[in-house]
């Protein structure tokens, strides 16, 4: 193959034995470049993949001298297999596990009644957040924030209550043969990390480094004394911080390189992507391929519709089905079904156990929160959809979903679309502009607030999923936003 100058530079530094942090923009041939490095040496390597599907694909492209596995697979081979009996245990409701841990009654925090079920869920989620961290012990900062208890003083009360139960759960998980808490794959990964493991390899390749959990980062960096470390990813695609992930690339101690020429799309789309990269203050800008004439404009019949939220995805699915399209949903419909069932519980006067809606006592309570509390505005589309169509219509829509290979349109959240591409893409309408600031321009109009970095990164992921044509749709407000105008027309440098 004809290498770009950037790929040649990566190969030269790899052969020199340098630790590398390789920023690889959307569609820039990341895996191809890593395979090139692996084929250029006889040394033994390990490729640490983000998930099993990526690991399986990489195994067909890398030489036999490189083992391709996820971090979980490495941990399972070392320690996790000892817990096989617990991994295969039947599922238990969280409230039953909480009861075994000593959570036996509800409590009141502020103006909210927090049920025993909610407390049990929070304790188990605390353990999960600890397992994603590099911390040696469970602390209060691992306790998740709950809707309705956002105030720091209220969250502190919750954390003080939950932490001892989480510690008790973690102690239970140390027993290989039996216990009260359901044993999950993240548990043996954390247990393995605490042994300070040594991975037998001459070099390690860490993929999707921008979404690495701190626990995996710690394991990877601890191999520095005996192995060459190469991490690859795209800092601008770091969109899982809410799940405990951390962009480990920007602070990595090694040679920083980049792959900036995208083979997925053309110059016009690269210009659009660079606008969001500039807003996010990302360390890379893309070049489009002249051989791929990607267009921007309306797409009446897109191959994919990308949404910001699950609620937005419900809205798109319902509308597309009403227009007699066959529709697929990336990841399946279970998350949408769970939201609809939670809404139905609230409308029928029952509390729900859905983690997003667990503290609301009624549908009216949720309507008020979505309509008047700034923290709840992302739930307004769900409220509107349920009020307009009812929960039965949403559940019926989920039941009509089909497989992607049989669908006319695929709907996805931008998070689940990462790593995917389609010929034509439309951006859904649930990407809201930032709220107006308190300042006004010369004509007395409010000045829009700045675009949040995390929202800019998510938009960058969304707009770079297409090959042929992009309908920017729900992100078109960027054309009028001061940040977007400046990013599209940057000032000339001072020479």
């Amino acid at each position: 193959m004809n290498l770009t100058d950037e790929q040649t530079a990566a190969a030269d530094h790899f052969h020199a034995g340098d630790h590398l942090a390789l920023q690889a923009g959307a569609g820039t041939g990341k895996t191809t470049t890593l395979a090139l490095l692996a084929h250029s040496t006889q040394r033994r390597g390990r490729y640490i993949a983000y998930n099993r599907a990526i690991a399986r694909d990489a195994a067909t492209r890398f030489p036999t001298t490189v083992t391709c596995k996820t971090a979980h697979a490495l941990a399972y081979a070392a320690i996790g297999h000892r817990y096989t009996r617990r991994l295969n245990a039947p599922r238990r409701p969280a409230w039953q596990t909480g009861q075994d841990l000593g959570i036996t009654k509800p409590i009141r925090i502020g103006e909210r009644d927090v049920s025993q079920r909610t407390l049990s869920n929070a304790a188990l989620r605390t353990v999960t957040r600890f397992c994603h961290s590099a911390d040696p012990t469970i602390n209060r900062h691992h306790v998740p924030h709950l809707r309705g208890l956002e105030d720091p003083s209220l969250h502190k009360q919750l954390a003080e209550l939950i932490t001892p139960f989480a510690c008790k759960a973690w102690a239970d998980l140390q027993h290989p043969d039996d216990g009260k808490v359901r044993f999950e794959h993240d548990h043996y990964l954390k247990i393995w990390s605490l042994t300070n493991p040594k991975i037998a390899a001459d070099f390690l390749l860490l993929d999707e480094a921008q979404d690495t959990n701190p626990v995996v980062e710690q394991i990877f960096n601890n191999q520095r004394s005996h192995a060459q470390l190469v991490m690859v990813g795209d800092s601008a695609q770091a969109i899982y911080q809410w799940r405990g992930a951390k962009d480990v690339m920007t602070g990595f101690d090694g040679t920083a390189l980049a792959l900036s020429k995208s083979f997925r799309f053309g110059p016009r789309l690269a210009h659009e992507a660079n606008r969001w990269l500039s807003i996010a203050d990302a360390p890379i800008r893309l070049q489009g391929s002249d051989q791929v004439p990607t267009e921007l404009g309306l797409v009446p019949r897109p191959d994919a519709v990308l949404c910001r939220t699950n609620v937005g995805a419900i809205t798109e699915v319902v509308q597309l089905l009403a227009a007699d399209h066959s529709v697929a949903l990336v990841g399946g419909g279970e998350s949408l079904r769970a939201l609809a069932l939670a809404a139905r519980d609230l409308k029928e006067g029952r509390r729900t156990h859905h983690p997003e809606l667990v503290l609301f006592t009624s549908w009216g309570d949720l309507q008020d929160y979505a309509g008047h509390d700034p923290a709840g505005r992302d739930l307004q589309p769900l409220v509107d959809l349920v009020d307009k169509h009812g929960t039965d219509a949403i559940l019926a829509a989920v039941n009509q979903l089909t497989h992607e290979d049989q669908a006319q349109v695929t709907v996805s959240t931008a998070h689940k679309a990462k790593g995917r591409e389609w010929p034509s893409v439309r951006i859904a309408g649930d990407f809201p502009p930032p709220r107006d600031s308190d300042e006004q321009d010369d004509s007395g109009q409010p000045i829009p607030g700045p675009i949040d970095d995390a929202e800019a990164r998510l938009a960058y992921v969304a707009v770079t999923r297409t090959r042929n044509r992009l309908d920017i749709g729900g992100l078109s407000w960027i054309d009028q936003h001061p940040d977007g105008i400046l990013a599209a027309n940057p000032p000339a440098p001072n020479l």
Side-chain angles (χ1 to χ4, degrees):
M1 60 178 292
N2 294 321
L3 303 184
T4 66
D5 291 343
E6 292 173 329
Q7 289 172 323
T8 300
D12 290 344
H13 282 279
F14 178 71
H15 293 143
D18 295 346
H19 300 301
L20 301 178
L22 187 58
Q23 290 280 355
T28 57
K30 173 189 65 173
T31 305
T32 300
T33 303
L34 288 181
L36 169 76
L37 300 182
H39 278 286
S40 68
T41 180
Q42 294 300 312
R43 294 181 297 156
R44 297 174 306 142
R46 294 270 190 170
Y47 170 84
I48 303 176
Y50 187 68
N51 58 41
R52 282 186 293 176
I54 294 174
R56 285 194 299 266
D57 177 69
T60 67
R61 305 172 69 174
F62 282 72
T64 56
T65 51
V66 175
T67 304
C68 303
K69 292 183 179 293
T70 64
H72 285 86
L74 294 174
Y76 183 83
I79 281 180
H81 64 276
R82 303 175 191 171
Y83 296 84
T84 301
R85 180 176 173 182
R86 292 193 67 173
L87 277 168
N88 296 328
R91 292 185 178 274
R92 298 182 71 210
W95 67 267
Q96 289 185 0
T97 303
Q99 204 166 49
D100 290 335
L101 294 173
I103 303 174
T104 57
K105 60 184 180 180
I107 63 165
R108 188 168 184 84
I109 298 179
E111 298 180 355
R112 297 281 184 183
D113 290 318
V114 186
S115 70
Q116 186 255 356
R117 291 174 185 263
T118 300
L119 294 171
S120 301
N121 277 318
L124 296 181
R125 287 172 62 197
T126 299
V127 174
T128 298
R129 286 162 59 92
F130 162 66
C131 288
H132 292 165
S133 77
D135 300 325
T137 57
I138 294 176
N139 291 299
R140 293 175 184 174
H141 68 266
H142 297 123
V143 177
H145 289 261
L146 300 181
R147 283 190 185 271
L149 297 179
E150 292 93 348
D151 183 271
S153 65
L154 299 179
H155 177 72
K156 182 181 178 183
Q157 293 180 50
L158 176 71
E160 289 175 346
L161 178 73
I162 291 296
T163 302
F165 293 115
C167 292
K168 190 173 181 180
W170 182 242
D172 174 275
L173 290 165
Q174 306 310 301
H175 304 290
D177 296 323
D178 55 53
K180 302 297 186 182
V181 182
R182 178 175 169 81
F183 198 91
E184 304 285 354
H185 295 280
D186 282 344
H187 297 147
Y188 66 72
L189 175 62
K190 182 64 176 181
I191 291 172
W192 181 54
S193 77
L194 292 173
T195 68
N196 194 25
K198 179 178 180 180
I199 300 174
D202 298 316
F203 64 91
L204 297 179
L205 306 174
L206 176 64
D207 201 0
E208 299 290 345
Q210 79 283 347
D211 286 325
T212 298
N213 286 332
V215 63
V216 176
E217 176 198 13
Q218 182 184 56
I219 295 168
F220 179 76
N221 280 330
N222 284 350
Q223 314 308 310
R224 180 180 290 267
S225 62
H226 71 275
Q228 182 184 9
L229 305 183
V230 179
M231 58 169 57
V232 62
D234 185 353
S235 290
Q237 293 192 52
I239 58 175
Y240 285 109
Q241 286 93 336
W242 55 274
R243 209 166 67 181
K246 173 186 175 185
D247 175 19
V248 304
M249 299 194 69
T250 51
F252 181 67
D253 182 12
T255 301
L257 300 173
L259 298 177
S260 63
K261 182 175 181 181
S262 180
F263 302 99
R264 179 182 300 160
F265 44 75
R268 289 192 65 193
L269 198 283
H271 182 268
E272 180 62 33
N274 286 337
R275 179 156 59 162
W276 294 103
L277 289 171
S278 175
I279 294 169
D281 197 23
I284 194 172
R285 299 293 183 272
L286 295 178
Q287 309 167 51
S289 172
D290 292 330
Q291 285 72 46
V292 187
T294 313
E295 300 177 343
L296 276 72
L298 294 177
V299 182
R301 295 178 64 87
D303 297 291
V305 178
L306 304 186
C307 310
R308 182 180 176 276
T309 63
N310 283 323
V311 173
I314 294 179
T315 305
E316 288 292 337
V317 166
V318 170
Q319 292 174 347
L320 288 165
L321 288 171
D324 291 327
H325 295 291
S326 57
V327 182
L329 182 70
V330 173
E334 287 309 307
S335 59
L336 305 190
R337 189 191 309 277
L339 270 172
L341 290 173
R344 186 168 71 181
D345 283 341
L346 290 174
K347 284 183 71 68
E348 294 178 355
R350 297 187 298 271
R351 297 288 289 267
T352 176
H353 307 305
H354 193 286
E356 280 288 285
L357 309 178
V358 69
L359 290 182
F360 298 103
T361 58
S362 67
W363 185 246
D365 191 18
L366 177 58
Q367 287 174 314
D368 182 68
Y369 176 78
H372 301 102
D373 192 318
R377 67 174 182 157
D378 61 313
L379 293 174
Q380 190 62 54
L382 173 66
V383 171
D384 293 340
L385 191 70
V386 170
D387 287 342
K388 181 177 180 180
H389 296 282
T391 55
D392 289 343
I394 298 171
L395 292 169
V398 171
N399 291 333
Q400 294 179 59
L401 292 170
T402 187
H403 295 290
E404 283 192 56
D405 56 1
Q406 301 170 338
Q408 295 171 311
V409 185
T410 297
V411 175
S412 177
T413 62
H415 286 93
K416 290 180 181 176
K418 196 159 77 72
R420 303 285 304 273
E421 60 181 69
W422 292 270
S424 63
V425 170
R426 174 170 61 81
I427 306 299
D430 65 334
F431 287 83
R435 284 175 288 184
D436 290 337
S437 69
D438 294 331
E439 300 179 9
Q440 295 181 338
D441 61 20
D442 295 339
S443 62
Q445 296 298 313
I447 297 175
I451 299 172
D452 180 73
D453 285 357
E455 295 297 325
R457 290 193 297 270
L458 190 63
Y460 162 68
V461 170
V463 302
T464 54
R465 298 307 97 197
T466 190
R467 296 191 297 271
N468 300 338
R469 191 171 178 88
L470 172 70
D471 184 342
I472 197 170
L475 287 169
S476 59
W477 51 262
I478 189 65
D479 292 328
Q480 284 75 47
H481 193 282
D483 291 352
I485 296 170
L486 180 62
N489 303 281
N494 293 321
L495 300 177

